[in-house]
Each structure stands twice: as C-alpha cells, then as structure tokens.
Amino acid sequence: MEVRFREFNPFNCWIWMRFPHPVGAGERGYLETAFDSWFFLGKLGGFNAENLQAHEEGAELGWMDYSHEGAAAALPALMHNMGPIEYQEEWARCWVDLGTSDAIALDVLINALGQLNNDVLELEELLIGGLNDDWPIEEQPEAMFAGLDAIDD
C-alpha cells in the first residue's frame, strides 16, 4: 500500500483509496467499520498528542503514575465530522473534518488500513488530501471552515 500526502486542509480533507478492483460488499463492511471506529475515537478526543502519558512512559508501564491533572490540562483535540465512504469503480473516498485532532489520528488510520491491506482488502494507494480530476467533489456543507480558503485569495 503506497501512502501519499497531497495538499492538506484538516478542516476539509478528502481521503482517497485506490484498489486493484471494485470493492465488494463484504470488503466495504470492513473498510466502513474501520473508518467509523476511527472517527468515533477522534470525536471523543482520542487523538490528543498533548496527553500521551502511557506512550511517553515507554516500555515499563507497571505502576505508572497517571496524571489526571495533566490529562485535564491538555487542550481538547476533537474531530468534527465525517461523510460517508463513496465508491466509484476501483476508487473509494471519504471526506473528513479532522477539527483539532492531532496528526496522530492520521497515523492510526494509516496503520489500521495497512493491517486491512495485509489481512482482508488489497489497497494499492492511500492519498490523504487533495482532489482527483476524474472524480469531482461537491462542497461539503458540514465543513465548518470550508469557505475560508476563498477569503485568502
């Protein structure tokens, strides 16, 4: 699975996936469950790089002192919205508003899709951000800051 990043706006981001063949109904179930799970964790603030206490502790977690004050002091890092996964021939795409969640969210998604690629569903290419000329998009009304790009012009 090749992973590439293109023009990236966390508040208005398309995630594109290319498969060697059109995705079947069973395979769609796995893919959609992975995205739904990822989004719900993000919506609940799971991708907050300011509070990675267990990760930062290292390999020895036995009797670790977890700082509730440190967790409470971290700024919220919440995903805002996600559209449905859409399919067209060998392509799938999903629109997300990553909100204030941290880039660790993308690492988690890439890792999960990599495992799906190994076990269930062959995924040739994962593109994060940007647009595809062959598959035009419509403005996402749920995108809180989608129209702000035009203000900068």
Side-chain angles (χ1 to χ4, degrees):
M1 173 179 86
E2 181 182 350
V3 178
R4 290 188 300 136
F5 283 78
R6 300 188 298 186
E7 182 180 342
F8 180 75
N9 176 350
F11 300 108
N12 189 14
C13 178
W14 284 93
I15 298 174
W16 304 86
M17 295 154 281
R18 187 172 57 83
F19 305 92
H21 51 76
V23 180
E27 295 168 321
R28 287 181 183 196
Y30 282 106
L31 186 63
E32 291 168 10
T33 298
F35 267 84
D36 287 343
S37 300
W38 173 72
F39 174 69
F40 285 123
L41 286 173
K43 188 84 169 161
L44 294 170
F47 305 121
N48 190 337
E50 283 191 40
N51 189 35
L52 296 176
Q53 295 180 49
H55 172 75
E56 291 170 355
E57 185 72 18
E60 186 55 50
L61 294 175
W63 306 105
M64 176 186 139
D65 287 325
Y66 188 86
S67 170
H68 296 285
E69 294 81 18
L75 294 173
L78 309 172
M79 276 192 195
H80 293 165
N81 210 339
M82 182 179 83
I85 297 180
E86 302 172 55
Y87 301 91
Q88 181 175 296
E89 299 172 11
E90 73 276 1
W91 283 95
R93 69 182 182 187
C94 184
W95 173 85
V96 293
D97 176 347
L98 293 164
T100 57
S101 63
D102 293 311
I104 190 172
L106 295 172
D107 286 320
V108 169
L109 179 65
I110 292 166
N111 290 341
L113 293 178
Q115 195 60 45
L116 269 181
N117 177 56
N118 290 338
D119 294 344
V120 177
L121 172 64
E122 187 178 353
L123 178 57
E124 290 185 343
E125 189 174 22
L126 174 64
L127 304 172
I128 298 173
L131 302 175
N132 278 351
D133 293 333
D134 295 339
W135 194 358
I137 63 161
E138 297 175 11
E139 185 74 20
Q140 293 295 323
E142 301 88 3
M144 188 182 311
F145 302 110
L148 293 181
D149 292 340
I151 294 172
D152 294 335
D153 294 340

